[in-house]
Amino acid sequence: MKERLDDMTNQWWKNSVVYQIYPRSFKDSNGDGIGDLNGITEKLDYLVQLGVDVVWLSPVYESPNDDNGYDIRHYQKIMDSFGTMEDWENMLKEMHARGIKLIMDLVINHTSDEHAWFIESRQSKDNDYRDFYIWRPGKNGQPPNNWAANFGGSAWQYDEQTDEYYLHLFSKKQPDLNWENPALRSKLYDMIRWWLDKGIDGFRMDVINFISKDQRFPDGDADANQTYVSGHRYFMNGPRVHEFLQELHTEALAGHDILTVGEMPGVTPEEGKLYTASERKELNMVFHFEHMDIDSGPHGKWDVKPWSLVELKQILSKWQLALETEGWNSLYWNNHDQPRVVSRFGCDGAYRVVSAKMLATTLHMMKGTPYIYQGEELGMTNAHFDSIDQYRDIETINMYNEQMAAGRKPEDIMEAIHVKSRDNARTPMQWNSHPQAGFTTGEPWIAVHPNYKTVNADAALADPNSIFHYYRKLIELRKKYAIIVHGSFTLLAPKSEEIFAYRRSYQGEQLLVISNFTKMKASFQVPESFQHLKLKQVLIGNYPDSLSKDITPEIPMRPYETIVYHFIS
Ligand code: NOJ
C-alpha cells in the first residue's frame, strides 16, 4: 500500500535524519568540565560533514539538575553552565546558516520543584497556582495511592506546609503538572509559541503520553514483593491525552512548518497511529520503546535478561507495518537514556566496527525518521565504571542505594548497572586523542571512556572506512533513493535467530537488506520472488568487497555482515 499523496508533500521531516545532542557531554568550550552551547556551535561543521538535517537538543533550560535538565526551573532561560540566551541565539543562527534545523526538548509533563509555579503552588491550598500541580490528601498517613516513581520510592511526596501529597512520576524534585487545569495549559502554550517565535524548527516532547492521568488515581495492581507498583495503566496514554495534544496543536503549533516527535513509553502501535496520523493534528512522529525493553525481565529494566533477535525483528516489523500508510515512526537504537547499541546488540570487542555498521544499516534502511545519538557515529561503547561513585545518573544511584538497603550484593547490582545505566550513553563525546578526549580542558563532570585514544572523531574522519563515513553514506543514500523513505516493508525469515532481513518495495524497485547479528558465519536463502528481478547494484555493505558481492540463491554472511541489494523489475 502507498502512503496517501497528501502525506508525502512538504513533509521535510520524512526525508530527514536527526542528530541528538546531550549538551552536558558534547563539547565544553570554557574548561568547566560541562559541555555548553558555544561548544556545540564550534562543532557544527562536524555535523555538516556527517550530513544530518536536524539537531534535537536535550534540555538547556535553567535547572537545578536533579535529572540533568529534565527538571526545568525556568522555561525561558538558559542554564548558566550551558551559556546565555545570546549563545543560544548565535548557535541557532549558525545552525540555520548551515542548513541544519533545531528541535528543542519540551518537558511539559513536569517541572522542577524550584519552578516559580511550584514554589507558589505549595504555599497554600488556595494559592492561584495550587492547581498547576497534582495535590491529594494522604490515606491514613500513607500516600494517596501505591504508585511507584520512575526513580524509586513512592510517586507521591508529602508536603508539611499544607499537609498534602504531590504527584511526581519521576524524582521528587520533578512534580507533575496538572493538565486538567486550563490555566496551566494556556501558560504552556504561551511558552511554546514564544520558542517558536524565536525561529526553532520543532520539539521533541518528553514523556508526552503521560500528561493525562486517570483522575480517580486508582491503585496499581498489588505485588506482594513491592510496596509501590507501576501505575502506568492510569497515566500512560491516559483518558484526555489526545484531546490535550489536539488542543496544543491548535493553540500553539498550527501554522508552523515544524517537526514534532513524542517520546512515548508504553505506547502501542494502534495508539502510535492515533498520535501521528496527519489528519488528527497531534504530532508528526512517535518515539516508542518496545524494542528497548527486550532485555528487561519481569521486574523491569534492571532485571536484565538475554534478548532474542526473533523478538527484536517481530517488534520492529510490527511497528513498520502498523504505521505504513498512516502516522510516522522514529528509528533509533540509542539516546541519552539507553545503553550504547554496539555494546548492547552488537559486539564492542573485536567486531566493534563491523557490528556498528551492521546495526546502522539495519536501522537506516527501514521506514521512518532515523535518529543518531552523539557518538553513535563513532561506535562509542558502554561506560563500565568500577565504582558506583563514578556514576552521576539519579536513576542509577537511587536504584543502587535501594538495592543495597534491600541486602543485595554490590557486585550483582553493578552487573546490571554495567548493562543498563543511562550513564553508558552520557560519557563525554570523544573528539580526539588529547587528554579528556578533547571534550574539555578541565575536569569532566563524568569520566571519559578510556578507549578514546582509538575511538574518536579525529581518527574516524581520517579513516575512509570508519563508522562515521559509513553513517555519512547511509544518510546520503536516504537523500538519493525515495524507496528508503517511502517504500513498504516486509520482514523476511522471521524465525531466523541469526539473520535480520527485510524487503522494501516502491514503484517497481526493491531493496533486500540482510544483516547477520552474530559473530558466526550464517547464510540467507533468497526468496524466489526476487529471482525475476534485475539486480541494479549493491547499495552499501560493511566488508571491503561488499559492493561486488554476488547475489546467489543462498547468500553466505560473514560475522556481523550486512548488505543492501537494489533491484529493478
Ligand atoms: C525522559 C527523558 O528522556 C529522561 O532522560 C528523563 O529522565 C525523563 N523523561 C523525565 O523527564
Side-chain angles (χ1 to χ4, degrees):
M1 269 203 281
K2 279 200 183 149
E3 280 162 69
R4 292 169 14 175
L5 200 62
D6 62 339
D7 279 354
M8 291 175 56
T9 49
N10 193 27
Q11 294 184 327
W12 52 266
W13 38 268
K14 285 193 174 172
N15 310 323
S16 296
V17 176
V18 180
Y19 187 90
Q20 184 193 350
I21 292 183
Y22 193 68
R24 179 164 289 270
S25 304
F26 191 64
K27 176 73 176 92
D28 174 21
S29 71
N30 63 358
D32 66 357
I34 298 174
D36 49 43
L37 296 170
N38 289 338
I40 297 173
T41 307
E42 257 176 49
K43 293 293 181 185
L44 291 178
D45 289 333
Y46 170 82
L47 300 185
V48 171
Q49 262 180 290
L50 185 57
V52 295
D53 307 275
V54 180
V55 164
W56 150 23
L57 184 58
S58 279
V60 293
Y61 317 97
E62 197 181 283
S63 162
N65 282 313
D66 194 47
D67 186 19
N68 287 356
Y70 282 92
D71 48 321
I72 297 175
R73 182 159 55 205
H74 199 304
Y75 283 112
Q76 279 140 297
K77 288 192 176 154
I78 298 292
M79 194 190 299
D80 280 346
S81 47
F82 289 164
T84 63
M85 190 56 87
E86 286 68 41
D87 297 334
W88 181 89
E89 281 161 0
N90 181 47
M91 177 195 73
L92 179 65
K93 185 172 93 242
E94 293 296 329
M95 283 181 177
H96 283 169
R98 288 166 176 78
I100 295 176
K101 294 183 156 70
L102 174 66
I103 65 171
M104 295 287 279
D105 216 309
L106 188 64
V107 187
I108 49 177
N109 174 68
H110 46 268
T111 65
S112 163
D113 66 340
E114 297 182 27
H115 192 289
W117 297 339
F118 190 75
I119 292 171
E120 285 293 322
S121 181
R122 77 188 331 172
Q123 295 305 319
S124 64
K125 288 184 183 166
D126 58 6
N127 187 285
D128 286 351
Y129 289 87
R130 183 68 170 179
D131 288 340
F132 273 42
Y133 295 86
I134 302 168
W135 293 94
R136 291 289 182 280
K139 280 188 185 157
N140 311 318
Q142 294 299 313
N145 69 23
N146 65 0
W147 296 359
N150 268 283
F151 298 154
S154 168
W156 298 91
Q157 177 67 25
Y158 179 67
D159 203 50
E160 255 178 21
Q161 175 96 5
T162 53
D163 188 28
E164 282 194 333
Y165 291 76
Y166 64 86
L167 180 71
H168 60 90
L169 295 178
F170 293 89
S171 94
K172 60 175 191 271
K173 284 186 65 62
Q174 293 168 294
D176 278 56
L177 288 164
N178 177 21
W179 274 72
E180 298 294 318
N181 179 355
L184 171 263
R185 301 206 299 275
S186 150
K187 287 260 192 229
L188 291 175
Y189 304 151
D190 288 347
M191 176 274 287
I192 293 168
R193 282 192 300 264
W194 185 86
W195 278 105
L196 287 170
D197 287 346
K198 293 185 83 65
I200 64 168
D201 305 287
F203 293 105
R204 174 267 187 186
M205 303 190 186
D206 192 69
V207 289
I208 198 68
N209 63 331
F210 287 15
I211 58 177
S212 163
K213 280 89 176 168
D214 184 326
Q215 292 300 296
R216 297 165 304 160
F217 293 95
D219 273 336
D221 299 334
D223 177 335
N225 299 317
Q226 286 175 308
T227 321
Y228 303 115
V229 303
S230 171
H232 66 262
R233 284 206 279 141
Y234 304 110
F235 59 78
M236 278 179 183
N237 314 308
R240 296 181 69 191
V241 68
H242 294 288
E243 175 197 334
F244 291 154
L245 287 179
Q246 285 169 8
E247 183 186 87
L248 186 159
H249 187 278
T250 314
E251 296 294 322
L253 310 178
H256 295 273
D257 184 16
I258 53 175
L259 185 168
T260 52
V261 49
E263 188 212 21
M264 300 194 180
V267 66
T268 60
E270 292 64 40
E271 280 284 340
K273 210 186 313 192
L274 293 178
Y275 285 117
T276 62
S278 57
E279 70 278 6
R280 291 177 53 84
K281 300 201 185 315
E282 296 185 20
L283 303 174
N284 298 150
M285 63 183 98
V286 52
F287 200 95
H288 76 80
F289 287 86
E290 216 178 324
H291 61 311
M292 292 284 112
D293 289 334
I294 62 170
D295 49 4
S296 301
H299 301 294
K301 84 175 248 186
W302 302 107
D303 177 18
V304 183
K305 69 164 197 201
W307 60 277
S308 105
L309 181 63
V310 172
E311 192 186 354
L312 179 66
K313 294 191 290 190
Q314 184 265 329
I315 292 169
L316 291 176
S317 163
K318 177 177 72 179
W319 278 91
Q320 288 284 295
L321 299 178
L323 272 61
E324 173 147 349
T325 52
E326 275 179 288
W328 196 252
N329 273 307
S330 307
L331 305 171
Y332 74 96
W333 289 132
N334 269 123
N335 68 24
H336 63 290
D337 295 329
Q338 300 296 333
R340 291 282 180 183
V341 69
V342 70
S343 300
R344 191 181 198 180
F345 299 147
C347 162
D348 60 12
Y351 294 105
R352 187 183 65 85
V353 174
V354 261
S355 70
K357 291 176 181 176
M358 180 281 287
L359 288 161
T361 314
T362 311
L363 193 81
H364 281 242
M365 288 296 126
M366 286 191 219
K367 183 168 180 172
T369 298
Y371 287 66
I372 302 170
Y373 175 68
Q374 66 187 40
E376 179 184 335
E377 75 283 9
L378 305 175
M380 279 179 61
T381 60
N382 276 351
H384 210 96
F385 297 132
D386 294 330
S387 156
I388 186 66
D389 299 335
Q390 291 169 282
Y391 286 86
R392 301 285 175 264
D393 169 33
I394 179 173
E395 182 192 42
T396 306
I397 295 167
N398 286 0
M399 184 283 286
Y400 181 90
N401 291 337
E402 256 181 32
Q403 302 251 338
M404 286 293 284
R408 278 196 68 199
K409 289 211 220 87
E411 54 274 25
D412 293 346
I413 314 175
M414 288 308 285
E415 209 175 295
I417 289 178
H418 288 152
V419 182
K420 285 291 186 70
S421 170
R422 305 196 296 181
D423 281 342
N424 281 315
R426 297 178 180 183
T427 61
M429 181 74 178
Q430 294 165 203
W431 292 107
N432 54 42
S433 58
H434 302 159
Q436 311 299 2
F439 162 71
T440 180
T441 52
E443 196 54 41
W445 70 278
I446 187 170
V448 167
H449 196 294
N451 67 9
Y452 73 91
K453 292 222 163 102
T454 44
V455 181
N456 66 62
D458 269 7
L461 286 167
D463 172 6
N465 293 317
S466 67
I467 303 168
F468 178 93
H469 288 298
Y470 194 90
Y471 268 84
R472 195 172 53 70
K473 189 157 176 214
L474 285 171
I475 298 168
E476 267 170 30
L477 290 173
R478 179 166 283 267
K479 306 274 170 243
K480 203 160 157 200
Y481 295 99
I483 185 171
I484 300 176
V485 179
H486 300 293
S488 62
F489 172 98
T490 318
L491 183 66
L492 305 171
K495 300 231 166 65
S496 167
E497 286 168 5
E498 294 104 31
I499 300 288
F500 192 155
Y502 56 87
R503 174 206 308 264
R504 303 288 309 277
S505 312
Y506 185 65
Q507 298 187 339
E509 294 179 37
Q510 307 234 357
L511 295 181
L512 171 59
V513 181
I514 315 167
S515 298
N516 179 1
F517 266 68
T518 75
K519 57 175 184 286
M520 311 299 284
K521 287 184 184 161
S523 68
F524 175 73
Q525 189 97 36
V526 177
E528 281 196 1
S529 52
F530 282 95
Q531 280 165 16
H532 67 280
L533 299 173
K534 192 163 159 277
L535 178 65
K536 189 165 171 236
Q537 58 190 326
V538 172
L539 274 194
I540 193 165
N542 62 348
Y543 272 70
D545 56 359
S546 291
L547 295 186
S548 55
K549 185 165 171 136
D550 276 347
I551 178 120
T552 48
E554 174 107 23
I555 301 183
M557 297 293 291
R558 291 163 283 190
Y560 294 107
E561 183 169 2
T562 186
I563 187 141
V564 181
Y565 292 105
H566 182 199
F567 298 88
I568 45 178
S569 44

